Amino acid sequence: NKGKYEHYMQKEIHEQPESLTTTMRGRLKRGGSTKAKTVLLGGLKDHIKSIRRSRRIVFIGCGTSYNAALAARPIIEELSGVPVTMEIASDLVDRQGPIYREDTAVFVSQSGETADTLLALEYALENGALCVGITNTVGSAIARNTHCGIHINAGCEIGVASTKAYTSQIVVMAMLALAIGDDAISSQARREAIIDGLFDLPNKVREVLKLDQEMKELAKLLIAEQSLLVFGRGYNFATALEGALKVKEVSLMHSEGMLAGEMKHGPLALVDENLPIIVIATRDACFSKQQSVIQQLHARKGRLIVVCSKGDAAAVCPGGSSSCRVIEVPQVEDCLQPVVNIIPLQVCI
Ligand code: M6R
């Protein structure tokens, strides 16, 4: 039942603090006699060593599930040291792209039943890869046919536009990164900071959901537009792709998510005083590069909406509120920031 909400998507967006809590329940340990902070992923415990030893991790999915894997890619690379490549399921099958016995192929799918992803799974199994499923549906075809896996436990997603599954998928893959990297002393402090960040994440999501009204007002300003660009990079390239996908699917407006590093290689030609552009510029290692992107867009009189960390309005918008609109979100660990950053874009569609 939709309760006080107008539709299921809205309900699912607002239940994310709870769905994220369920996703993490029983899997993160903090304290105890050893005071150790650890992650326990029951469905993977017999395979984690093989994953660690694999030559490559290949993420395979479609749409939002692909975007979630893209958001998690950097932290998996950082904590595992294993190269990570990305495959859109249909494209992998079209190309009959290389998949080897030494690969770990990770299939990400909310439903666990997407035909393209299933065909890619069949293909990876034939090629001898270790196949891992990340799904929200117990007993689904992907859950049944992979060698091992993790359920995201986000609760049933009824809205066609995937929202709470996206954030839970990112959290599960962050936990996967922690589990694979669990044996490295050198990254222990980093892993513990991420675990602390995970415990606090539902509260931060609750905080950012309060932007609901502000985002609805922004949506009213954008509704008559023809097109919207979204620029992100690093952890938040995925936020740009996913934000634009939601705008297309739900608001039926043309929208493109773009890698900010590619802006000067073509897309800059589109920038003028009419086209609205969202720039994701929260604090992380890419922040100063995003500041410089914002300056270049300003120089072209771009109509900017900047998503930044709390307190950073002046740092991202030197000309003040007359030159751009700012949406401030709570800062979290860099690899978890995509979970927070997608929320304003979900609530404004
Ligand atoms: O069930 P899946 O995650 O495998 O579905 C894949 C895509 O069709 C899906 O994520 C789609 O892009 C979203 N519903 C868009 O909101």
Side-chain angles (χ1 to χ4, degrees):
N1 137 2
K2 298 196 291 288
K4 61 178 178 176
Y5 298 102
E6 282 166 39
H7 43 75
Y8 279 106
M9 186 188 72
Q10 197 183 47
K11 174 172 181 273
E12 286 160 6
I13 290 171
H14 285 272
E15 70 194 17
Q16 287 177 102
E18 292 73 39
S19 53
L20 290 169
T21 304
T22 322
T23 296
M24 292 185 275
R25 183 164 296 138
R27 291 169 162 172
L28 293 178
K29 300 263 174 300
R30 182 163 60 171
S33 55
T34 59
K35 296 258 184 289
K37 295 174 184 170
T38 49
V39 170
L40 219 141
L41 297 171
L44 288 191
K45 68 178 183 332
D46 298 331
H47 293 88
I48 213 82
K49 279 194 188 137
S50 316
I51 300 176
R52 218 174 260 152
R53 279 198 301 259
S54 46
R55 183 164 83 171
R56 176 174 74 139
I57 296 172
V58 189
F59 276 112
I60 303 164
C62 308
T64 293
S65 294
Y66 174 91
N67 294 341
L70 187 67
R73 178 192 200 177
I75 194 63
I76 306 251
E77 285 177 333
E78 179 190 329
L79 294 183
S80 72
V82 181
V84 179
T85 60
M86 302 292 309
E87 292 283 0
I88 292 174
S90 61
D91 188 46
L92 175 68
V93 174
D94 289 349
R95 291 177 3 254
Q96 297 282 292
I99 296 284
Y100 304 105
R101 307 177 60 80
E102 302 82 0
D103 287 336
T104 295
V106 183
F107 294 84
V108 187
S109 171
Q110 189 284 129
S111 61
E113 301 287 353
T114 299
D116 289 326
T117 313
L118 275 168
L119 285 174
L121 170 57
E122 218 171 274
Y123 175 71
L125 287 168
E126 277 163 20
N127 285 276
L130 170 66
C131 293
V132 180
I134 296 182
T135 80
N136 194 29
T137 317
V138 178
S140 62
I142 290 177
R144 282 185 278 112
N145 295 321
T146 41
H147 297 114
C148 57
I150 320 170
H151 285 117
I152 66 168
N153 299 339
C156 182
E157 190 173 62
I158 295 172
V160 173
S162 185
T163 53
K164 65 174 181 173
Y166 176 72
T167 49
S168 283
Q169 285 167 335
I170 297 175
V171 160
V172 156
M173 287 182 267
M175 292 195 288
L176 173 64
L178 292 165
I180 306 175
D182 204 21
D183 60 337
I185 301 290
S186 57
S187 57
Q188 191 171 341
R190 167 80 159 139
R191 290 199 308 276
E192 291 190 356
I194 295 170
I195 293 176
D196 287 337
L198 283 168
F199 274 110
D200 203 27
L201 196 56
N203 285 333
K204 301 291 188 200
V205 167
R206 206 165 277 125
E207 199 179 320
V208 76
L209 279 167
K210 292 189 187 136
L211 292 171
D212 199 16
Q213 212 39 48
E214 189 183 324
M215 294 310 299
K216 283 198 178 118
E217 270 150 39
L218 177 64
K220 277 189 211 147
L221 294 178
L222 295 177
I223 197 97
E225 299 299 335
Q226 293 288 312
S227 188
L228 173 74
L229 299 186
V230 191
F231 282 120
R233 73 196 310 147
Y235 288 108
N236 288 290
F237 174 34
T239 310
L241 295 186
E242 177 58 12
L245 177 61
K246 289 288 103 93
V247 170
K248 274 181 219 157
E249 192 183 21
V250 180
S251 310
L252 311 184
M253 182 199 289
H254 170 252
S255 180
E256 289 304 320
M258 292 184 180
L259 187 65
E262 281 289 285
M263 184 196 67
K264 54 183 177 293
H265 303 294
L268 194 57
L270 291 171
V271 179
D272 62 14
E273 62 277 27
N274 300 315
L275 174 69
I277 303 175
I278 298 181
V279 184
I280 315 292
T282 39
R283 287 275 169 174
D284 62 19
C286 296
F287 180 65
S288 61
K289 290 185 186 166
Q290 284 303 73
Q291 281 180 304
S292 117
V293 163
I294 292 168
Q295 275 164 11
Q296 291 174 56
L297 292 169
H298 263 313
R300 300 262 173 151
K301 302 200 174 6
R303 216 177 122 194
L304 303 188
I305 300 149
V306 183
V307 177
C308 68
S309 303
K310 252 195 186 132
D312 262 349
V316 295
C317 198
S321 55
S322 60
S323 66
C324 67
R325 209 176 163 113
V326 170
I327 301 158
E328 295 186 46
V329 297
Q331 189 182 346
V332 296
E333 277 295 305
D334 52 7
C335 61
L336 305 178
Q337 196 69 52
V339 172
V340 168
N341 290 358
I342 196 61
I343 308 267
L345 302 175
Q346 289 176 344
V347 293
C348 90
I349 51 181

